Amino acid sequence: MIKDTIVDGFQNAPHRSLYHALGLTAEEQARPLIGVVSSYNEIVPGHMNLDKIAEAVKLGIAMAGGTPVLFPAIAVCDGIAMGHTGMKYSLITRDLIADSTEAMVMAHGFDGLVMIPNCDKNVPGLLMAAARLNIPTIFVSGGPMLAGRVDGKKTSLSSMFEAVGAYTAGKIDEKQLRKCEENTCPSCGSCSGMYTANSMNCLTEVLGMGLRGNGTIPAVYSARIELAKHAGMQIMELVKKNIRPRDIMTAAAIRNALTADMALGCSTNSMLHLPAIANECGVEFNLDMANAVSEKTPNLCHLAPAGPTYMEDLNEAGGVYAVLKELSGLGLLDTGVMTCTGKTLGENIADAENKDPRVIRPAADPYSKTGGIAVLRGNLAPDGCVVKRSAVAPEMLVHEGPARVFESEEEAIAAIYAGRISSGDVVVIRYEGPAGGPGMREMLSPTSAIAGMGLDKEVALITDGRFSGATRGASIGHVSPEAARGGLIAYVQDGDRISINIPAYKIELKVSEEEIARRRETMEIKTRTGVKGALARYAAQVSSADRGAIINRFE
């Protein structure tokens, strides 16, 4: 306990004097000191309500006999950062968040932690920190945004990006674009579809690190405040029983998360974040696990952008626990794993019920018999690449076409908007990987432009970068090795035939070995100029995407 090393004894009088400077009474100093890690800021819509969540958490801690102390974590809004240099800084914040949280906790000796993230990199970054620090920890997110309403139809951020493509193609006018702009994001919270933030918040429930409803209760519901109070109270039980993150996030729990990922149709970014979390837990995670799990796991949900339902609908249908109940009936989960409730996963989901089979398909009637994500391999991606299979039109599951090669996201967007992409093309965007970007930008703008222009059932897109959870269509990312580190994607030329077979998990550049060898001898690997500061440090240290774009601290 903190009082044993920092508070008790004559030698710690200087420490106690500084606690008094904080206004902490002797009684407060004698109680467990709980760090409340809040990602609150005023620029991220998903985080603008976290001050309320933090206050509720602190109240819950105090009610249960602890002393809460608040400190911050940074956050980037991927939607605002999308499509420009700012997106290079998104993924790197995952490690900045983990590292800065580690520094704060080790410097101040907290007895337990309540993590309050919401958006894309904060959830995995804080899960990584929790595993690394391994002191009692619980998560409570800020919750998802309500769906927008445009002309009587529910919408979300992906609809907004696709509206830009529709406007460019002349399918909607400026008035309709403005109507979408003003009505698509109606409340605070993480964007309302099964995008990366909501994917990771749901998987936090499955991992056992968040209470029931953590991933689905809308941000504006009062139930979210109650959840935060319960999380504050529950951390005191975890401290009392000394239940720690690595007692919870075991190999079995991570496999459960991967299984739920497939059923929910989560973002492909989970294939970066689950390996990174597993790495901090000391658990081996190979991308091939994804296909093995997918082969056994039915896809039960088609939330936006894959379908017409949203996080509020999943919440009303019974939430994550209802999905887990369907999966447990097939024997696909290890229900004996410990969770932050102090109970097993099986005990947690015992009374769960699927209240709306239109939102959560019964296991006997899935959208597909295989999961929402597939890992493809072949000469173009010998170490793997990732696609959100559940968001791909059936006619694009198998495709072959000529490559249209671009050296950056900006070049590709310009060509798409200029109408230079034709039906059947395979758009290749390279030098956007973890090291080559650097920062492995999400590329929602080009994929949404393709979808908005009505080409998502005719055009594929391949990149060593990554995609937003809001992306739909035959969008294949995380190509490993990446171009900047000599991957074959660096040597693709316009007109080369590329074959994609998602059901068979195959991707091939149909060029002879002799021609590939000639290109490797004559074509140079490109490097970005002017990269400095945090981006330069990240590029020098980061692993390939197939390993989760982790920082190689000890290599």
Side-chain angles (χ1 to χ4, degrees):
M1 297 292 286
I2 185 175
K3 66 185 183 67
D4 298 328
T5 56
I6 295 179
V7 176
D8 284 355
F10 73 90
Q11 72 278 11
N12 289 321
H15 302 83
R16 292 195 296 273
S17 72
L18 291 170
Y19 281 143
H20 283 297
L22 291 170
L24 294 180
T25 66
E27 292 82 1
E28 288 175 302
Q29 293 180 41
R31 297 170 182 168
L33 189 69
I34 308 299
V36 179
V37 189
S38 174
S39 301
Y40 168 74
N41 63 48
E42 295 182 341
I43 189 61
V44 182
H47 291 204
M48 63 182 287
N49 66 321
L50 296 191
D51 56 339
K52 308 294 189 301
I53 301 296
E55 287 302 315
V57 165
K58 290 167 66 178
L59 184 57
I61 292 168
M63 286 191 294
T67 299
V69 178
L70 181 73
F71 66 90
I74 62 169
V76 164
C77 177
D78 280 16
I80 295 174
M82 196 72 66
H84 58 90
T85 300
M87 181 48 74
K88 293 178 182 288
Y89 288 86
S90 174
L91 185 57
I92 76 170
T93 65
R94 188 184 69 182
D95 291 276
L96 295 174
I97 290 161
D99 291 349
S100 60
T101 302
E102 174 192 355
M104 287 293 289
V105 172
M106 295 305 295
H108 300 107
F110 294 100
D111 296 309
L113 297 169
V114 181
M115 305 294 204
I116 310 177
N118 208 28
C119 290
D120 296 32
K121 308 311 166 299
N122 296 78
V123 185
L126 290 176
L127 283 166
M128 290 163 64
R132 190 185 304 173
L133 291 161
N134 203 33
I135 63 173
T137 304
I138 194 169
F139 278 64
V140 56
S141 78
M145 184 183 291
L146 294 177
R149 302 291 195 281
V150 177
D151 296 331
K153 294 181 179 180
K154 289 185 177 181
T155 60
S156 61
L157 185 64
S158 57
S159 311
M160 191 64 245
F161 276 89
E162 290 180 18
V164 174
Y167 174 76
T168 304
K171 295 186 174 184
I172 63 173
D173 59 18
E174 186 176 352
K175 182 179 179 181
Q176 184 66 20
L177 181 65
R178 182 59 60 88
K179 182 190 289 187
C180 293
E181 175 186 332
E182 293 174 349
N183 294 281
T184 292
C185 298
S187 74
C188 61
S190 48
C191 296
S192 56
M194 187 54 81
Y195 309 147
T196 306
N198 292 325
S199 295
M200 294 310 301
N201 280 322
C202 287
L203 294 185
T204 299
E205 281 192 60
V206 186
L207 285 168
M209 293 296 292
L211 298 176
R212 184 177 194 163
N214 180 67
T216 60
I217 298 172
V220 295
Y221 283 14
S222 297
R224 177 64 57 177
I225 300 296
E226 294 182 34
L227 181 71
K229 291 176 183 175
H230 283 127
M233 290 185 274
Q234 185 59 24
I235 187 59
M236 300 308 297
E237 287 297 310
L238 296 176
V239 170
K240 180 180 178 180
K241 297 175 181 177
N242 197 28
I243 298 175
R244 303 180 180 219
R246 290 205 293 269
D247 299 327
I248 296 171
M249 290 191 288
T250 61
I254 289 170
R255 190 175 183 86
N256 283 346
L258 185 56
T259 301
D261 184 316
M262 296 297 173
L264 286 163
C266 290
S267 165
T268 52
N269 281 314
S270 62
M271 292 297 101
L272 289 175
H273 300 324
L274 285 177
I277 294 162
N279 177 67
E280 295 287 354
C281 293
V283 172
E284 183 179 354
F285 190 108
N286 185 295
L287 274 188
D288 288 333
M289 292 169 57
N291 290 343
V293 170
S294 179
E295 285 294 332
K296 300 176 182 178
T297 307
N299 177 225
L300 304 180
C301 298
H302 268 191
L303 286 91
T309 55
Y310 295 81
M311 295 306 296
E312 61 197 61
D313 301 313
L314 179 59
N315 187 63
E316 293 298 319
V320 173
Y321 278 21
V323 176
L324 297 181
K325 189 67 174 287
E326 293 282 355
L327 295 175
S328 69
L330 299 175
L332 296 176
L333 300 175
D334 185 334
T335 56
V337 294
M338 177 55 62
T339 72
C340 66
T341 65
K343 299 177 182 179
T344 66
L345 182 65
E347 291 174 306
N348 288 347
I349 66 173
D351 65 346
E353 177 187 355
N354 183 352
K355 300 175 183 178
D356 191 343
R358 296 170 300 176
V359 177
I360 304 171
R361 287 278 187 93
D365 182 30
Y367 282 103
S368 66
K369 293 181 179 180
T370 52
I373 287 177
V375 173
L376 315 184
R377 291 185 187 268
N379 66 347
L380 192 55
D383 293 337
C385 57
V386 179
V387 61
K388 189 171 182 177
R389 170 168 45 187
S390 60
V392 178
E395 51 265 56
M396 289 299 294
L397 290 171
V398 177
H399 179 75
E400 182 177 315
R404 295 294 311 280
V405 182
F406 303 96
E407 309 297 337
S408 69
E409 177 185 10
E410 287 83 358
E411 286 186 17
I413 292 172
I416 293 166
Y417 283 153
R420 299 203 302 270
I421 302 301
S422 302
S423 177
D425 284 350
V426 179
V427 176
V428 177
I429 305 177
R430 61 192 179 196
Y431 294 104
E432 291 286 4
M440 201 180 186
R441 285 192 287 183
E442 278 189 352
M443 287 181 280
L444 179 55
S445 293
T447 58
S448 295
I450 288 171
M453 297 172 79
L455 294 172
D456 57 299
K457 296 180 180 179
E458 303 170 11
V459 171
L461 194 154
I462 297 172
T463 182
D464 53 7
R466 62 194 178 96
F467 298 113
S468 164
T471 292
R472 63 183 174 94
S475 301
I476 300 166
H478 307 196
V479 169
S480 299
E482 62 175 290
R485 290 188 172 158
L488 184 56
I489 191 172
Y491 302 103
V492 179
Q493 294 183 349
D494 275 347
D496 288 347
R497 303 291 293 184
I498 293 177
S499 171
I500 300 163
N501 189 324
I502 295 173
Y505 306 119
K506 296 288 187 182
I507 185 166
E508 294 286 334
L509 176 67
K510 306 192 84 173
V511 172
S512 70
E513 289 295 326
E514 293 78 12
E515 174 61 15
I516 290 171
R518 185 193 69 79
R519 292 181 190 180
R520 287 189 184 276
E521 289 181 0
T522 58
M523 293 175 65
E524 292 186 2
I525 297 295
K526 296 179 174 60
T527 56
R528 302 281 187 203
T529 59
V531 177
K532 53 188 177 181
L535 289 178
R537 185 168 61 249
Y538 184 83
Q541 295 179 314
V542 71
S543 79
S544 57
D546 64 290
R547 294 180 56 204
I550 60 175
I551 296 297
N552 299 322
R553 292 180 178 81
F554 309 114
E555 295 183 7

